[in-house]
């Protein structure tokens, strides 16, 4: 009997997919690459506050899982670009909606957090 994939089943690989894309850096990298291929330094500038180590680790994990394609142009000096794979592009379409939601509602979340903290500090 074949089980139906479910994120609520702790043995289902879909949980690993959620864990991967729930990372702040993974979400931001995928959203950034939606604009097209980018080099490492361009991604660092776009993301702003990511460390080189974290960017490298996240790009490797996204590449390993088939969301990002790394293309080494085999030149001197080295020229490497990252772009979304077809499955990465399908994920970016979903993340754009989440990005817009965060940009629209961050003020409400900030205000709620401030109210909560003020009530708890009394």
């Amino acid at each position: 009997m074949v089980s139906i994939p479910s994120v609520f089943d702790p043995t289902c690989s879909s949980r690993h997919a959620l864990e991967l894309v729930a990372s702040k850096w993974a979400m931001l990298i995928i959203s950034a690459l939606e604009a097209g291929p980018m080099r490492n330094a361009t991604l660092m500038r776009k993301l702003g506050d990511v460390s080189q180590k974290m960017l490298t680790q996240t790009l490797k994990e996204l590449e390993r899982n088939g969301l990002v394609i790394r293309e080494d142009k085999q030149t001197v000096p080295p020229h490497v670009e990252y772009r979304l794979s077809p499955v990465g592009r399908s994920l970016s379409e979903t993340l754009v909606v989440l990005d817009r939601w965060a940009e629209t509602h961050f003020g409400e979340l900030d205000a709620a957090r401030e109210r909560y903290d003020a009530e708890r500090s009394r």
Side-chain angles (χ1 to χ4, degrees):
M1 177 182 225
V2 176
S3 64
I4 298 171
S6 170
V7 294
F8 297 105
D9 176 356
T11 64
C12 184
S13 289
S14 63
R15 283 225 178 159
H16 177 71
L18 280 180
E19 182 180 336
L20 174 66
V21 301
S23 149
K24 170 178 77 171
W25 296 119
M27 284 195 282
L28 290 171
I29 289 168
I30 291 167
S31 293
L33 290 175
E34 195 210 0
M38 289 187 192
R39 296 179 73 174
N40 187 293
T42 305
L43 271 170
M44 283 196 76
R45 282 191 301 276
K46 178 92 172 162
L47 300 178
D49 60 344
V50 65
S51 69
Q52 181 61 65
K53 179 181 178 183
M54 183 55 66
L55 179 59
T56 300
Q57 286 175 345
T58 307
L59 284 167
K60 282 183 181 179
E61 192 65 15
L62 292 172
E63 181 184 11
R64 178 174 177 252
N65 284 276
L67 296 170
V68 167
I69 297 168
R70 179 184 186 272
E71 184 179 359
D72 186 342
K73 303 285 189 175
Q74 300 293 318
T75 61
V76 177
H79 182 127
V80 176
E81 285 186 347
Y82 297 91
R83 62 183 166 85
L84 294 176
S85 68
V87 70
R89 211 171 299 110
S90 73
L91 175 58
S92 77
E93 294 167 5
T94 301
L95 292 180
V96 165
V97 174
L98 183 57
D99 291 345
R100 297 302 83 81
W101 181 89
E103 291 167 351
T104 300
H105 296 284
F106 76 91
E108 294 167 66
L109 299 175
D110 290 348
R113 197 168 39 255
E114 288 174 17
R115 281 191 308 274
Y116 180 91
D117 292 347
E119 289 172 8
R120 298 298 181 269
S121 66
R122 290 183 201 167

